[in-house]
Amino acid sequence: MTYSELDPEVVQWVEMLQSPDLNDRLVAAKTLQHLGDEDTIESLIVALKDDSPKVQEIAVMALWEMANPIAIPPLLKCLGSTQPEAVRVEALAALKEMVSPDDLLTLLDEVQIEDETVQLNVLILLRKIHDAQALPYIAPFFESKSPALREAAVVTLRYLNQVVRFEPALALASDESEEVRRSAILTLGHLSDEAVVPTLCQALTTDADWQVRRNAAQALDLQSTPAAIGALTSALEDEHWQVRKFTARALQRVADDTVIPSLVKALSDEYSDVRRDAAIALGNLGNPEVLSALKQTLDDPDRDVQIFSGRAIQKIQDKLAETTHA
Amino acid sequence: MALTTQRVDVPVIVDESKCLEKCTACIEVCPLDVLVKNPETGKAYMKYDECWFCLPCEKECPTNAITVQIPFLLR
Amino acid sequence: MNIQNLQTDFLVIGGGTAGTMAGIKAKQANPDADVLILEKANIRRSGAIAMGMDGVNTAVIPGNSTPEQYVREITIANDGILNQKSVYQTGRWGYEVIQELESWGVKFQKDHEGNYDLKQVHRVGKYVLPMPEGKDLKKILTRQVKRHKVRVTNRVMATRVMVKDGRVIGAVGFDVRKGDFVVIQAKAVVLCTGACGRLGLPASGYLYGTYENPTNAGDGYSMAYHAGAELTNIECFQINPLIKDYNGPACAYVASPFGAYTANAEGNRFINCDYWSGQMMLETWKELNSGKGPVHLKMYHLDDDTISEIERVLWANERPSRERFHEGRQENYRTHGVEMNISEIGLCSGHSASGVWVNEKAETTVPGLYAAGDMASVPHNYMIGAFVSGRLSGLNAMEYVQGIDHVDPDPAFLEAEKARIYAPMNRPDGVPHTQVEYKLRRYVNDYLQPPKSPSNMEIGLAAFERYHDTLDLMGARDPHELMRCMEVHFIRDCAEMAARASLYRKESRWGLYHYRLDYPEKNDEEWFCHANLKKGENGEMEMFKRAVEPYIVDVNLEQEVYDVAVR
């Protein structure tokens, strides 16, 4: 587009964007951002390569606000390790809003660029697209030397629709990095390989990191299988209360009478969330033997515990009445 | 009627050494329209003590010349 | 003084959430029509969501809930007093709004499969949809306004809607920078000026330290009233549990999925539901008065990583200055609860139910006048409701304007309004608006803050009536000060409405929102109705009952008591 075709209101700013004076370029970029005239996109794309990181950053913001897909490829070029951090952060935020399934092939090209920063950012963007075609392209990162890339890849895997089995993810459950294990365990909650449940039970009961154990309880909640009852029962004694809390939650969906003593013990846990979630689990189990234990929590200092334990009692009594009538 | 001028601690502080004369970014985005240019210096300042501490002025400033404090009475 | 005369088919007063959507929808319905948004700030950053928004509260997504379930929940939460057909619209069209926003680039939180990641915050049902990356929603709306070629006039504040022969013919106002008198002829007008957020005075004493964007001074409540429209449920105040002094939301609903909760001084929960309602506020008020106060948002039982994650979400979102506030007080979530208290009162249908009466087409009782967003009486409507009502007003107004011609304004009206607006400029040494506003809002606190006592409210009402004379003492030295002066006029009108409506409804309802010490119980026999008000023939404020429209979704209010503290 030549100047003569531009709105007279914007021409002066487009010219000023090329001024040798940095302050002028800053004002011009900012003004163009506020004007939001799509005819200035080309000039703003050029400004992505300005000498000043601040001008680049404002150009990214301006292109983000216009949200024209033409700007996606040049913005992707702002994600690399040679870019100033502020520009990279802003460009990633912009692209998270702008990318669509149409950009899949472009992203898959970018993820093969030998630059860890680019690869990390593109793995994040692929989560916005949910396309299983990305799987072969993210697979190599499961064996990357970089823990950050292994972690990003296993998180992205969770976002790919239709992917239900992927063995390399299992290995990351015993990765040397806690961050990787925490994410891998959560992803396993969504997979159905045979080894998933035993792996999660193992992590729940033996991992040294409590957040890994907590995530394993959450993942087993998703899996919802009786095969996990044993591991969940012992995890009710975990030293960290959040592990106990999410374990009690998982036991709301699968449990049998063998868990009752541990759940009753959890009714007097130091943490109200554990007490509440244990009360719900006991209500769901429906065994009248626990009624007296539940009644003792009706004057719990925490309102939630009172309410949910009242409901659990009601549930057990309703079930009892039903069986008596039948 | 008798009026007096009171000193007030204002939330929006402009670093005049960084503020650009040609720029009006902060003034345009302020929902309460409390910022204006000093006609003598061309620098922005907070003319009216009516701030919602919402920060767009600070975020939009291309030279990081603006700092917004929580208004003194709330701080 | 310059006079600007403008003409448009459809005038949108207020370019916030509802207003931008009203303009866009009107242009989509009829691209040839002229649509003008009038905004007293700049639509890039204006309205209730000027700072950003971190989620939506009333998302009815297929597979998660139905419009019928949503109507039931709001019927119960609002103690039965509502027009179900209007509430149904929010449930009916909310999903389409979300999809359209998404097509414009707004990102809502999705789970790993790409489905909307809804959270339960209401007593029953999942309606809360986080948008952690949606903080700059206003930019996206501005872009769409531009793309749809809706005209925008920034920095002009409307002061009155013009009505002739019983229908709307436009509005008048002035340029808050240049001072020009602005007369706009329009075939239809929608008021979407947001809440009356500057009614009560915050405990900090800072006039603009409000929960709502302080530009939202009740402009539309006052303008609708003077145009002859009915208002409803004004006694159902907006009162929120907020971070003490900071006056922003503690965002228990953002932090609760991470394990945070609202607790009393002993660290125990005292309510079961973090969804804001009058009932929740009454429980909070009782707890504060029980010796177990103050109450706080409790996170100090959580671990460092979880708290860091909560901070990351909170700092980036609805109130970015929150981090600075805590820092200044050397408070840390790892060791300190976030002290909360009960806010000053406001009017806002987005949160409670007080607003300009509208039907399911967003029509007020004045032909050609529509209302949308926080100021339109659709209870608990929040942001999605604002979009839906904006949409309804835009689409219905485009049908209404067909075959309608512009009407010349009455010169006598224009002269009188010009004289009223500019009077403070003739008194540059008059009392500053800050002092006049401070005293007015202190009276609101002194006499209207619940629990409500009749003698107090009578004293308040007399003070608000006398305040007409005080307004005539106000002086302004520039158009900016003039804007603030005219906002004080709006606030006075809202204060009088709040006092009269609260005195009129002789029962208690909506928890703390309308808790009367002399009538502490709910009385369905006499008061299962709206308390409406309008400007009478003689220019005095009239109160009257309006029956609740027949329900379209069956709800048994006897059994379904909204109780957030049940045992």
Side-chain angles (χ1 to χ4, degrees), chain C residues 18 26 48 306 373 384 393 543 565:
Chain C
T306 308
I384 291 296
S393 70
M543 294 294 318

Side-chain angles (χ1 to χ4, degrees), chain C residues 342-381:
Chain C
I342 291 179
S343 75
E344 70 282 2
I345 67 163
L347 304 180
C348 176
S349 199
H351 290 81
S352 57
S354 40
V356 174
W357 176 266
V358 288
N359 62 13
E360 66 275 20
K361 296 173 79 177
E363 294 167 337
T364 71
T365 52
V366 175
L369 183 62
Y370 297 76
D374 275 348
M375 59 165 286
S377 67
V378 187
H380 298 239
N381 223 11

